[in-house]
Amino acid sequence: MNLIFLGPPGSGKGTQAGILSTRTGWNDLGTGDLLRRLVKEGNEKALLAKSYMEKGELVPDALMVELLLAEPGDLGDGLILDGFPRTLNQADTLTQMMRARNLTLDAVLLIDVSDQEVERRLLQRSACSTCGKIFNQKLAVCPACGAQIQTRTDDNAETIRKRLKVYHQQTDPLVTYYQQQGLLRRICGEGEIDEISQRIRQALGIA
Ligand code: AMP
């Protein structure tokens, strides 16, 4: 099965994509994680993307697609895309990329969370920049890998508002785009993590 997770920043799509990936063995490809890893590795192109990420803006489509395609082997069958596409342009590119690989898009899961809840969650979360794990509270040390936690530079009030604005302007149109293709499944993203995972599996008709 090949899926897209759609939703505002902080909706939990990364967490849910990770849980589904562990359960099914499908490849979880998160473009935010990919960009942060490439920046850390000092990838020249990714360093160009860094300034957009820090401002809460989207990385320009051409650069984003170039970085995604530079990861060979990631776009095979059994794919969970988390954070891509984020613009109509990227959605069209994805259609072409999948067609070229004989892949079918089976569903687009929209994780619905209010703006107010997004702000609350992002302001109180800790994201470990060493192992990438996310925790729903402010922590000094990562319980998963033991590294000192540095708050993500884009998890501050001003940048969170910017990311939400960008989401509504540039990513919201994808809801209609995928609805028209009959692929959209709307999932309530509020509640316990396990409950939301269950709603997702139910929407996909898997155990
Ligand atoms: P995320 O971890 O998904 O919240 O992504 C963090 C940041 O990475 C975003 O605010 C964007 O700057 C950038 N980013 C991630 N995915 C994309 C994408 N598909 N298109 C453009 N920028 C992206």
Tab-separated table of all heavy atoms in Angstrom, residues 9-10 13 30-33 35-36 49-50 52-54 56-61 64 82-87 90 125 152 154 163, ligand 1:
chain	number	residue	atom	x	y	z
A	9	PRO	N	1.463	21.112	10.782
A	9	PRO	CA	2.586	20.769	11.653
A	9	PRO	C	2.025	20.468	13.037
A	9	PRO	O	1.078	21.131	13.477
A	9	PRO	CB	3.436	22.053	11.671
A	9	PRO	CG	2.542	23.139	11.158
A	9	PRO	CD	1.544	22.474	10.264
A	10	GLY	N	2.570	19.458	13.695
A	10	GLY	CA	2.108	19.147	15.051
A	10	GLY	C	0.837	18.312	15.087
A	10	GLY	O	0.309	18.031	16.145
A	13	LYS	N	1.319	13.563	12.424
A	13	LYS	CA	1.440	12.685	11.256
A	13	LYS	C	2.766	11.916	11.269
A	13	LYS	O	2.802	10.753	10.879
A	13	LYS	CB	1.218	13.432	9.931
A	13	LYS	CG	2.064	14.653	9.703
A	13	LYS	CD	1.630	15.372	8.443
A	13	LYS	CE	2.604	16.492	8.063
A	13	LYS	NZ	2.966	17.406	9.147
A	30	GLY	N	9.676	10.698	5.729
A	30	GLY	CA	9.284	12.021	6.229
A	30	GLY	C	10.227	13.067	5.660
A	30	GLY	O	11.439	13.007	5.917
A	31	THR	N	9.682	14.018	4.904
A	31	THR	CA	10.595	14.962	4.253
A	31	THR	C	11.223	15.951	5.251
A	31	THR	O	12.340	16.400	5.047
A	31	THR	CB	9.909	15.720	3.090
A	31	THR	OG1	8.599	16.111	3.492
A	31	THR	CG2	9.848	14.880	1.845
A	32	GLY	N	10.498	16.274	6.350
A	32	GLY	CA	11.095	17.135	7.376
A	32	GLY	C	12.312	16.448	7.984
A	32	GLY	O	13.389	17.045	8.112
A	33	ASP	N	12.157	15.165	8.317
A	33	ASP	CA	13.269	14.385	8.898
A	33	ASP	C	14.413	14.273	7.888
A	33	ASP	O	15.585	14.384	8.249
A	33	ASP	CB	12.807	12.965	9.266
A	33	ASP	CG	11.862	12.973	10.457
A	33	ASP	OD1	11.895	13.947	11.235
A	33	ASP	OD2	11.086	12.012	10.611
A	35	LEU	N	15.175	16.324	5.462
A	35	LEU	CA	15.879	17.608	5.344
A	35	LEU	C	16.788	17.846	6.551
A	35	LEU	O	17.949	18.248	6.393
A	35	LEU	CB	14.872	18.763	5.222
A	35	LEU	CG	14.092	18.833	3.908
A	35	LEU	CD1	12.939	19.831	4.006
A	35	LEU	CD2	15.012	19.219	2.761
A	36	ARG	N	16.269	17.576	7.763
A	36	ARG	CA	17.085	17.805	8.964
A	36	ARG	C	18.322	16.903	8.951
A	36	ARG	O	19.413	17.330	9.314
A	36	ARG	CB	16.246	17.577	10.232
A	36	ARG	CG	15.325	18.766	10.559
A	36	ARG	CD	14.583	18.582	11.864
A	36	ARG	NE	13.567	17.557	11.785
A	36	ARG	CZ	12.336	17.752	11.318
A	36	ARG	NH1	11.961	18.942	10.911
A	36	ARG	NH2	11.463	16.764	11.265
A	49	ALA	N	18.238	24.802	1.872
A	49	ALA	CA	16.863	24.607	2.375
A	49	ALA	C	16.724	25.096	3.815
A	49	ALA	O	15.632	25.475	4.250
A	49	ALA	CB	16.499	23.121	2.303
A	50	LYS	N	17.832	25.105	4.552
A	50	LYS	CA	17.797	25.378	5.993
A	50	LYS	C	17.157	26.731	6.322
A	50	LYS	O	16.383	26.857	7.264
A	50	LYS	CB	19.232	25.316	6.521
A	50	LYS	CG	19.338	25.316	8.007
A	50	LYS	CD	20.779	25.043	8.426
A	50	LYS	CE	20.897	25.208	9.924
A	50	LYS	NZ	21.921	26.122	10.329
A	52	TYR	N	14.901	28.388	4.793
A	52	TYR	CA	13.432	28.339	4.650
A	52	TYR	C	12.831	27.624	5.860
A	52	TYR	O	11.818	28.053	6.404
A	52	TYR	CB	13.028	27.593	3.369
A	52	TYR	CG	13.465	28.295	2.111
A	52	TYR	CD1	14.660	27.950	1.476
A	52	TYR	CD2	12.699	29.319	1.552
A	52	TYR	CE1	15.076	28.599	0.328
A	52	TYR	CE2	13.109	29.973	0.391
A	52	TYR	CZ	14.301	29.609	-0.202
A	52	TYR	OH	14.706	30.247	-1.345
A	53	MET	N	13.464	26.534	6.258
A	53	MET	CA	12.949	25.752	7.390
A	53	MET	C	12.950	26.606	8.657
A	53	MET	O	11.990	26.588	9.420
A	53	MET	CB	13.813	24.499	7.596
A	53	MET	CG	13.751	23.541	6.438
A	53	MET	SD	15.041	22.301	6.501
A	53	MET	CE	14.449	21.253	7.816
A	54	GLU	N	14.011	27.348	8.859
A	54	GLU	CA	14.107	28.156	10.084
A	54	GLU	C	13.063	29.268	10.114
A	54	GLU	O	12.613	29.677	11.168
A	54	GLU	CB	15.519	28.731	10.218
A	54	GLU	CG	16.492	27.672	10.696
A	54	GLU	CD	17.934	28.108	10.695
A	54	GLU	OE1	18.247	29.156	10.079
A	54	GLU	OE2	18.752	27.398	11.282
A	56	GLY	N	10.114	28.946	8.845
A	56	GLY	CA	8.781	28.346	8.836
A	56	GLY	C	8.169	28.376	7.447
A	56	GLY	O	6.954	28.211	7.286
A	57	GLU	N	9.007	28.594	6.426
A	57	GLU	CA	8.498	28.610	5.042
A	57	GLU	C	8.758	27.254	4.391
A	57	GLU	O	9.596	26.483	4.855
A	57	GLU	CB	9.229	29.700	4.241
A	57	GLU	CG	8.849	31.086	4.717
A	57	GLU	CD	9.692	32.186	4.071
A	57	GLU	OE1	10.472	31.880	3.140
A	57	GLU	OE2	9.565	33.329	4.512
A	58	LEU	N	8.072	27.014	3.278
A	58	LEU	CA	8.334	25.770	2.557
A	58	LEU	C	9.607	25.911	1.727
A	58	LEU	O	9.897	26.982	1.184
A	58	LEU	CB	7.169	25.427	1.618
A	58	LEU	CG	5.848	25.038	2.273
A	58	LEU	CD1	4.851	24.590	1.211
A	58	LEU	CD2	6.043	23.937	3.310
A	59	VAL	N	10.345	24.828	1.655
A	59	VAL	CA	11.507	24.768	0.770
A	59	VAL	C	10.949	24.831	-0.660
A	59	VAL	O	9.935	24.166	-0.945
A	59	VAL	CB	12.266	23.435	1.016
A	59	VAL	CG1	13.398	23.248	0.041
A	59	VAL	CG2	12.748	23.373	2.471
A	60	PRO	N	11.555	25.619	-1.553
A	60	PRO	CA	11.005	25.711	-2.915
A	60	PRO	C	10.851	24.318	-3.559
A	60	PRO	O	11.688	23.437	-3.328
A	60	PRO	CB	12.047	26.558	-3.657
A	60	PRO	CG	12.722	27.340	-2.575
A	60	PRO	CD	12.721	26.468	-1.360
A	61	ASP	N	9.783	24.166	-4.338
A	61	ASP	CA	9.442	22.850	-4.892
A	61	ASP	C	10.606	22.161	-5.604
A	61	ASP	O	10.864	20.976	-5.373
A	61	ASP	CB	8.267	22.997	-5.883
A	61	ASP	CG	6.960	23.333	-5.169
A	61	ASP	OD1	6.855	23.039	-3.960
A	61	ASP	OD2	6.059	23.888	-5.819
A	64	MET	N	13.173	20.918	-3.159
A	64	MET	CA	12.615	19.815	-2.351
A	64	MET	C	12.614	18.520	-3.152
A	64	MET	O	13.031	17.473	-2.658
A	64	MET	CB	11.188	20.208	-1.903
A	64	MET	CG	10.525	19.196	-1.001
A	64	MET	SD	11.321	19.070	0.597
A	64	MET	CE	11.974	17.411	0.545
A	82	ASP	N	5.270	11.224	4.505
A	82	ASP	CA	4.859	12.059	5.633
A	82	ASP	C	5.452	13.453	5.417
A	82	ASP	O	6.649	13.648	5.517
A	82	ASP	CB	5.374	11.366	6.920
A	82	ASP	CG	5.665	12.304	8.051
A	82	ASP	OD1	5.043	13.368	8.132
A	82	ASP	OD2	6.529	11.944	8.886
A	83	GLY	N	4.591	14.399	5.034
A	83	GLY	CA	5.073	15.768	4.805
A	83	GLY	C	5.382	16.073	3.352
A	83	GLY	O	5.912	17.129	3.036
A	84	PHE	N	5.069	15.167	2.472
A	84	PHE	CA	5.221	15.374	1.020
A	84	PHE	C	4.055	14.673	0.345
A	84	PHE	O	3.791	13.520	0.654
A	84	PHE	CB	6.551	14.806	0.518
A	84	PHE	CG	6.828	15.149	-0.929
A	84	PHE	CD1	7.568	16.276	-1.271
A	84	PHE	CD2	6.317	14.349	-1.951
A	84	PHE	CE1	7.808	16.596	-2.606
A	84	PHE	CE2	6.548	14.675	-3.285
A	84	PHE	CZ	7.297	15.794	-3.602
A	85	PRO	N	3.349	15.326	-0.570
A	85	PRO	CA	3.538	16.692	-1.066
A	85	PRO	C	2.931	17.726	-0.112
A	85	PRO	O	2.081	17.404	0.703
A	85	PRO	CB	2.779	16.665	-2.396
A	85	PRO	CG	1.684	15.667	-2.176
A	85	PRO	CD	2.236	14.628	-1.261
A	86	ARG	N	3.382	18.975	-0.275
A	86	ARG	CA	2.836	20.073	0.519
A	86	ARG	C	2.322	21.195	-0.371
A	86	ARG	O	1.817	22.192	0.148
A	86	ARG	CB	3.928	20.631	1.433
A	86	ARG	CG	3.927	20.042	2.842
A	86	ARG	CD	5.237	20.420	3.509
A	86	ARG	NE	5.144	20.668	4.905
A	86	ARG	CZ	5.702	19.896	5.847
A	86	ARG	NH1	6.324	18.790	5.506
A	86	ARG	NH2	5.642	20.235	7.101
A	87	THR	N	2.453	21.052	-1.671
A	87	THR	CA	1.911	22.037	-2.625
A	87	THR	C	1.290	21.258	-3.790
A	87	THR	O	1.624	20.083	-4.005
A	87	THR	CB	3.007	22.960	-3.206
A	87	THR	OG1	3.902	22.144	-3.994
A	87	THR	CG2	3.806	23.675	-2.129
A	90	GLN	N	3.956	19.989	-6.074
A	90	GLN	CA	4.613	18.759	-5.586
A	90	GLN	C	3.697	17.551	-5.809
A	90	GLN	O	4.171	16.450	-6.103
A	90	GLN	CB	4.932	18.877	-4.095
A	90	GLN	CG	6.053	19.856	-3.770
A	90	GLN	CD	6.374	19.911	-2.278
A	90	GLN	OE1	5.912	19.102	-1.485
A	90	GLN	NE2	7.186	20.883	-1.891
A	125	ARG	N	6.314	20.650	23.056
A	125	ARG	CA	6.972	19.396	22.713
A	125	ARG	C	8.496	19.508	22.746
A	125	ARG	O	9.066	20.597	22.655
A	125	ARG	CB	6.514	18.894	21.343
A	125	ARG	CG	7.246	19.474	20.159
A	125	ARG	CD	6.774	18.832	18.864
A	125	ARG	NE	7.437	19.403	17.707
A	125	ARG	CZ	7.168	19.053	16.453
A	125	ARG	NH1	6.237	18.168	16.198
A	125	ARG	NH2	7.819	19.611	15.462
A	152	ARG	N	13.630	22.351	18.673
A	152	ARG	CA	13.721	22.648	17.243
A	152	ARG	C	13.617	24.144	17.040
A	152	ARG	O	12.761	24.801	17.632
A	152	ARG	CB	12.572	21.923	16.510
A	152	ARG	CG	13.035	20.678	15.794
A	152	ARG	CD	11.884	19.935	15.213
A	152	ARG	NE	11.180	20.659	14.154
A	152	ARG	CZ	10.298	20.092	13.347
A	152	ARG	NH1	10.014	18.820	13.471
A	152	ARG	NH2	9.688	20.795	12.418
A	154	ASP	N	12.380	25.787	14.815
A	154	ASP	CA	11.108	26.272	14.262
A	154	ASP	C	9.928	26.026	15.208
A	154	ASP	O	8.791	26.306	14.864
A	154	ASP	CB	10.835	25.679	12.864
A	154	ASP	CG	10.854	24.158	12.824
A	154	ASP	OD1	11.154	23.540	13.866
A	154	ASP	OD2	10.581	23.601	11.758
A	163	ARG	N	4.165	28.775	10.143
A	163	ARG	CA	4.017	27.438	9.541
A	163	ARG	C	2.546	27.102	9.326
A	163	ARG	O	2.175	26.498	8.315
A	163	ARG	CB	4.694	26.378	10.435
A	163	ARG	CG	6.212	26.431	10.324
A	163	ARG	CD	6.898	25.817	11.532
A	163	ARG	NE	6.771	24.386	11.629
A	163	ARG	CZ	6.999	23.704	12.759
A	163	ARG	NH1	7.339	24.336	13.866
A	163	ARG	NH2	6.889	22.398	12.771
B	1	AMP	P1	8.208	19.026	9.278
B	1	AMP	O1	9.215	18.321	10.125
B	1	AMP	O2	7.420	18.102	8.424
B	1	AMP	O3	7.348	19.966	10.094
B	1	AMP	O4	9.041	19.955	8.262
B	1	AMP	C1	9.919	20.946	8.746
B	1	AMP	C2	10.210	21.943	7.638
B	1	AMP	O5	10.842	21.269	6.545
B	1	AMP	C3	8.998	22.630	7.038
B	1	AMP	O6	8.547	23.734	7.804
B	1	AMP	C4	9.562	23.052	5.670
B	1	AMP	O7	10.403	24.181	5.796
B	1	AMP	C5	10.442	21.855	5.306
B	1	AMP	N1	9.701	20.851	4.506
B	1	AMP	C6	9.387	19.573	4.867
B	1	AMP	N2	8.725	18.942	3.898
B	1	AMP	C7	8.589	19.837	2.880
B	1	AMP	C8	7.972	19.799	1.599
B	1	AMP	N3	7.327	18.709	1.148
B	1	AMP	N4	8.051	20.910	0.833
B	1	AMP	C9	8.688	22.011	1.247
B	1	AMP	N5	9.271	22.134	2.454
B	1	AMP	C10	9.227	21.043	3.274
